[in-house]
């Protein structure tokens, strides 16, 4: 049953595609609202302090990023499906063929001519993450809970499309207590927003669920946006983390925008 992790990865990415499309629809609704408002009262933009145009620009940036993410995930799905369809046999036949089929699959994976230009761009993007900190899911597909940590990318294998990462600060309960490395698929990696370019970063609206680095740790947890960096006139979100109760209430915590990413579809915590 060697193909089950591949199937699980495909299902993960189809859920992610679905989430991205729903989010795109939400953004388009907001864009249309802004268009109607500006058509009805174009003079509003001349009023001092009006932020209609910057809000519209931010919505377009968001729509563009979601659209690019959709292309990225679609390309990953195409590659995953390609690796499961080497040369025709059905799933049952493929399992019987064993090692011979594995060899064929390796040949398909390393056949550069089969990689689409957009997938090549995706591979370049992952290769360029070397030395950068990213969010990584280090738990197995079938684990009860998803564990996400801040790790450093040390290598990207273009043939296997695996990302090798280093957990520079493993927890006290880790065996050995030293630094650990993991080899993870591309779908287990979420790049952080660029710290030095907040204007090009997607801003998550209040009420949105996100994945964020808990203050003082290198672990990421699900949180709800209370206030945005733009509203706070700073580079930090105000968040409420799930399961973070103190005296029966959820404290609100500040987290830099470059340590907050979209919550993956089907996240288990």
């Amino acid at each position: 049953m060697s193909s089950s992790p591949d199937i699980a990865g495909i299902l993960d990415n189809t859920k992610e595609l679905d989430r991205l499309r729903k989010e795109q629809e939400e953004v388009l609704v907001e864009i249309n609202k802004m268009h109607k408002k500006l058509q009805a009262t174009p003079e509003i933009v001349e009023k001092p302090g009006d932020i209609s145009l910057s809000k519209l620009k931010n919505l377009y940036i968001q729509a563009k990023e979601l659209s690019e993410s959709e292309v990225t995930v679609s390309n990953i799905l195409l590659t995953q499906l390609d690796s499961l369809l080497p040369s025709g046999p059905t799933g049952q036949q493929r399992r019987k063929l064993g090692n011979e089929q594995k060899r064929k699959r390796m040949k398909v994976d390393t056949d550069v001519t089969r990689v689409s230009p957009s997938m090549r761009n995706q591979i370049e993007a992952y290769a360029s993450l070397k030395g950068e900190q990213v969010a990584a899911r280090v738990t197995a597909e079938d684990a009860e809970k998803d564990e996400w940590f801040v790790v450093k990318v040390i290598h990207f294998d273009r043939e296997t499309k695996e990302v090798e990462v280093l957990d520079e600060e493993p927890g006290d309960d880790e065996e050995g207590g030293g630094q650990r490395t993991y080899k993870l698929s591309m779908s287990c990696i979420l790049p952080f927003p660029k710290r030095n370019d907040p204007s090009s970063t997607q801003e998550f609206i209040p009420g949105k669920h996100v994945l964020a680095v808990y203050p003082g740790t290198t672990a990421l947890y699900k949180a709800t946006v209370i206030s945005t960096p733009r509203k706070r006139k700073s580079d930090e979100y105000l968040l409420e983390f799930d399961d973070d109760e103190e005296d029966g209430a959820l404290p609100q915590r500040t987290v830099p925008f470059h340590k907050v990413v979209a919550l993956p579809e089907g996240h288990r915590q």
Side-chain angles (χ1 to χ4, degrees), residues 13 43 65 112 210 237 248:
N13 282 321
E43 67 280 1
E65 285 179 353
V112 179
V210 293
Y237 279 96

Side-chain angles (χ1 to χ4, degrees), residues 184-238:
L184 304 168
S185 68
M186 288 158 69
S187 62
C188 291
I189 301 293
L190 289 175
F192 284 118
K194 293 273 182 272
R195 182 192 295 235
N196 55 2
D197 193 9
S199 62
S200 69
T201 301
Q202 173 190 354
E203 187 167 271
F204 301 107
I205 57 175
K208 191 87 184 154
H209 290 145
V210 293
L211 200 62
V213 179
Y214 189 84
T217 75
T218 56
L220 291 92
Y221 298 99
K222 182 181 174 185
T224 305
V225 176
I226 303 302
S227 187
T228 64
R230 187 169 286 112
K231 189 147 189 205
R232 292 165 51 78
K233 294 185 171 55
S234 75
D235 64 352
E236 294 178 321
Y237 279 96
L238 191 61

Side-chain angles (χ1 to χ4, degrees), residues 16-249:
E16 177 63 4
L17 206 55
D18 194 40
R19 183 191 70 78
L20 286 166
R21 285 185 181 150
K22 282 177 185 158
E23 216 167 305
Q24 279 176 329
E25 283 167 21
E26 287 169 21
V27 173
L28 286 171
V29 167
E30 292 302 311
I31 287 174
N32 287 333
K33 278 186 197 166
M34 287 297 296
H35 283 177
K36 282 179 185 167
K37 182 181 167 185
L38 292 172
Q39 278 169 347
T41 53
E43 67 280 1
I44 198 168
V45 298
E46 290 166 23
K47 287 185 181 172
D50 180 73
I51 56 160
S52 301
L53 293 179
S54 60
K55 190 177 174 187
L56 189 60
K57 182 188 173 186
N58 191 46
L59 285 167
Y60 274 121
I61 289 170
Q62 219 173 320
K64 176 175 172 280
E65 285 179 353
L66 286 167
S67 168
E68 285 168 353
S69 298
E70 189 183 339
V71 170
T72 296
V73 176
S74 300
N75 285 323
I76 292 171
L77 271 166
L78 286 170
T79 309
Q80 287 174 317
L81 287 165
D82 259 357
S83 74
L84 287 176
L85 297 167
S87 52
T90 63
Q92 252 178 333
Q93 285 175 295
R94 183 163 61 247
R95 282 198 286 276
K96 286 177 192 167
L97 289 170
N99 289 334
E100 182 192 346
Q101 200 64 30
K102 280 181 189 164
R103 281 196 294 275
K104 277 187 189 172
R105 187 184 301 174
M106 282 168 68
K107 184 179 182 303
V108 170
D109 281 351
T110 55
D111 185 357
V112 179
T113 56
R114 291 192 57 152
V115 178
S116 67
S118 43
M119 187 61 207
R120 221 167 286 148
N121 291 344
Q122 175 63 10
I123 288 169
E124 290 308 320
Y126 273 82
S128 73
L129 289 172
K130 187 174 177 180
E132 302 253 343
Q133 285 194 328
V134 296
R137 189 184 74 212
V138 296
T139 37
E141 293 283 353
D142 56 356
E144 267 183 47
K145 293 181 179 180
D146 292 335
E147 291 184 8
W148 289 82
F149 295 122
V150 178
V151 296
K152 186 177 179 180
V153 177
I154 50 179
H155 181 65
F156 176 64
D157 190 317
R158 291 165 185 269
E159 289 189 4
T160 63
K161 299 182 186 65
E162 281 185 325
V163 188
E164 191 173 352
V165 299
L166 175 68
D167 184 0
E168 297 175 280
E169 296 181 42
D172 300 332
D173 55 347
E174 294 278 339
E175 285 177 31
Q179 297 183 334
R180 278 191 71 178
T181 59
Y182 299 89
K183 283 190 176 176
L184 304 168
S185 68
M186 288 158 69
S187 62
C188 291
I189 301 293
L190 289 175
F192 284 118
K194 293 273 182 272
R195 182 192 295 235
N196 55 2
D197 193 9
S199 62
S200 69
T201 301
Q202 173 190 354
E203 187 167 271
F204 301 107
I205 57 175
K208 191 87 184 154
H209 290 145
V210 293
L211 200 62
V213 179
Y214 189 84
T217 75
T218 56
L220 291 92
Y221 298 99
K222 182 181 174 185
T224 305
V225 176
I226 303 302
S227 187
T228 64
R230 187 169 286 112
K231 189 147 189 205
R232 292 165 51 78
K233 294 185 171 55
S234 75
D235 64 352
E236 294 178 321
Y237 279 96
L238 191 61
L239 304 174
E240 278 182 2
F241 284 88
D242 286 21
D243 310 322
D244 186 28
E245 277 191 34
E246 275 183 11
D247 302 323

